[in-house]
Amino acid sequence: MSEAPPTAPKRSRIQQRNRKRILEAALDVFSQHGYRGSTLDQIAEAAGLSKPNILYYFSGKEEIHVTLLARLMEAWLDPLEQMNANGDPLTELLGYIRRKMEMSRLYPRESRLFANEIIQGAPRMGGNLETGLKPLFDEKCRLIQDWVDAGLLAPVDPAHLIISIWATTQHYADFEAQVRVLIPDNEAAWTAAQQHVETMFTKLLAP
Amino acid sequence: MSEAPPTAPKRSRIQQRNRKRILEAALDVFSQHGYRGSTLDQIAEAAGLSKPNILYYFSGKEEIHVTLLARLMEAWLDPLEQMNANGDPLTELLGYIRRKMEMSRLYPRESRLFANEIIQGAPRMGGNLETGLKPLFDEKCRLIQDWVDAGLLAPVDPAHLIISIWATTQHYADFEAQVRVLIPDNEAAWTAAQQHVETMFTKLLAP
DNA sequence: TCGTGACTTTACCAAATGGTAAAAAAGAGA
DNA sequence: TCTCTTTTTTACCATTTGGTAAAGTCACGA
């Protein structure tokens, strides 16, 4: 029996609450230990439910993980989608960078969940990368290329620009354990990071 | 019985050969599946040895992983160590970036092993981060700060500069699965990436 | 308040997995 | 060749882990 009817996902209040709990707990556990490093017992304990009870709401461990990844994908793409073709190029790109930085700071678990999955070759992402990420990536690459061609930005490879924005912003969430050792003052680290990243891309992009 | 006598690690030819095989196989497996995602059976199969035979050379799964991480740390620090205080600042930094990029291209498994470990909170790195990485990081931060103070580089936060160099260069190895989807032509991707990263940091650092 | 379907718990299980004991085999030196 | 040490294999084992069956328990509308 499929647990996610495509037509009507009508779920009772209890179902909504418990599914939410489970996904929240699973995000915690999966992002910290990776897929295989996490156990249903850990997730169950974190969710305050019994293991069989969890399997009443999800068909298995993998389905929980896949559900998390699918939901995450939307949230992840959103800041890029917001980049407006009609705005000022530099402003739009810096806005995107700021939103990305914000996400790293506010949702490090999501970032690490994603990173874990990609590093291991994205075995559970299905076609999400091709069907979700790629089209948007290509679209925004064309947009940036147009801006460059119009002389509104310094010449830059759009694809690698986006990739380097991802790299720098996500790094602070994904490699937090390292950053914390190297820059002990966490508060200061984030503001300085914000400053640094903005300066870097401003210098790169100013026409 | 400790397997690594601190005084004399005198190992027979067979020991040397088999330990090497095991570490090579383990690097393959660990970097692809993470610590808990990897099994001794997988490592044994990849090494062409039986599981108990592997446990004849290493006291357990964790010891293999820790050994890999410790070895990796040295290789990882080397490019940064090479950055010379007496050279031209911009040349030295670009040289470092080039070496880092090279390492990502040539040793993606090592990069991913490291990334996996850090993302999960570095539970098996022991004090390697504090005792190995931190001192060198601090030393090079001071060096860069001196260069900035002498007006040889544009004003930049040394710590975040180094971190952003790591982020951009390692991203191509760690997130290879994603990059391959977005930029299908792998050959072109690397040369364009090299170009992009160099341009980016040149613009950031030129005084 | 009673019955029915939604939800939970208890008691399991089979497979996988890290690891061990001890016997067998293979080397190496005399 | 014979002996002693190193290396490898065979046969296990205890625990963990994802998952199931089935017997409860609960909530809510009639």
Side-chain angles (χ1 to χ4, degrees), chain B residues 92-160:
Chain B
E92 287 299 320
L93 276 161
L94 286 175
Y96 173 52
I97 290 163
R98 204 169 297 125
R99 288 191 294 275
K100 255 295 189 175
M101 213 55 184
E102 190 92 337
M103 288 198 71
S104 265
R105 201 181 65 221
L106 296 179
Y107 308 108
R109 292 178 308 171
E110 281 82 347
S111 189
R112 281 193 284 266
L113 179 80
F114 191 75
N116 259 314
E117 178 70 8
I118 300 292
I119 288 180
Q120 299 185 9
R124 278 167 294 276
M125 289 279 291
N128 266 356
L129 248 36
E130 285 85 350
T131 62
L133 186 59
K134 184 74 158 55
L136 184 64
F137 178 81
D138 288 342
E139 178 201 324
K140 296 306 180 184
C141 278
R142 279 194 300 276
L143 172 58
I144 293 169
Q145 189 61 57
D146 288 347
W147 283 340
V148 169
D149 291 344
L152 300 168
L153 287 177
V156 69
D157 183 320
H160 290 281

Side-chain angles (χ1 to χ4, degrees), chain B:
Chain B
M1 231 158 285
S2 157
E3 55 53 70
T7 46
K10 51 182 174 185
R11 300 215 169 91
S12 75
R13 243 166 296 113
I14 294 180
Q15 287 219 7
Q16 274 185 296
R17 175 172 53 84
N18 281 354
R19 280 180 65 95
K20 208 173 186 175
R21 271 194 194 177
I22 292 168
L23 289 174
E24 169 66 22
L27 175 58
D28 237 52
V29 176
F30 279 136
S31 68
Q32 203 169 109
H33 306 287
Y35 179 74
R36 284 218 44 192
S38 305
T39 69
L40 282 175
D41 289 290
Q42 279 176 292
I43 296 170
E45 159 135 32
L49 298 170
S50 68
K51 183 168 64 175
N53 202 8
I54 279 184
L55 292 168
Y56 173 74
Y57 291 100
F58 291 89
S59 69
K61 183 183 174 181
E62 183 157 352
E63 204 211 308
I64 302 177
H65 197 257
V66 167
T67 303
L68 275 177
L69 283 176
R71 292 200 174 189
L72 175 52
M73 206 59 190
E74 294 171 42
W76 226 234
L77 261 38
D78 184 61
L80 186 53
E81 246 155 21
Q82 282 183 44
M83 207 167 68
N84 186 351
N86 301 119
D88 170 62
L90 197 53
T91 309
E92 287 299 320
L93 276 161
L94 286 175
Y96 173 52
I97 290 163
R98 204 169 297 125
R99 288 191 294 275
K100 255 295 189 175
M101 213 55 184
E102 190 92 337
M103 288 198 71
S104 265
R105 201 181 65 221
L106 296 179
Y107 308 108
R109 292 178 308 171
E110 281 82 347
S111 189
R112 281 193 284 266
L113 179 80
F114 191 75
N116 259 314
E117 178 70 8
I118 300 292
I119 288 180
Q120 299 185 9
R124 278 167 294 276
M125 289 279 291
N128 266 356
L129 248 36
E130 285 85 350
T131 62
L133 186 59
K134 184 74 158 55
L136 184 64
F137 178 81
D138 288 342
E139 178 201 324
K140 296 306 180 184
C141 278
R142 279 194 300 276
L143 172 58
I144 293 169
Q145 189 61 57
D146 288 347
W147 283 340
V148 169
D149 291 344
L152 300 168
L153 287 177
V156 69
D157 183 320
H160 290 281
L161 168 63
I162 293 177
I163 286 175
S164 60
I165 290 172
W166 290 345
T168 45
T169 54
Q170 292 175 195
H171 191 90
Y172 287 97
D174 300 343
F175 287 70
E176 197 191 303
Q178 195 185 45
V179 172
R180 240 201 325 264
V181 168
L182 300 177
I183 311 178
D185 183 348
N186 216 280
E187 190 67 32
W190 274 107
T191 56
Q194 179 85 40
Q195 190 66 45
H196 172 80
V197 172
E198 276 183 39
T199 304
M200 192 164 77
F201 285 105
T202 303
K203 284 192 175 183
L204 173 63
L205 296 171

Side-chain angles (χ1 to χ4, degrees), chain A residues 2 6 16 20 31 49 55 58 77 85 89 97 101 116 126 151 166-167 207:
Chain A
S2 155
Q16 275 184 294
K20 208 172 184 175
S31 68
L49 298 171
L55 293 167
F58 291 89
L77 260 38
I97 288 163
M101 215 49 190
N116 259 313
W166 289 345

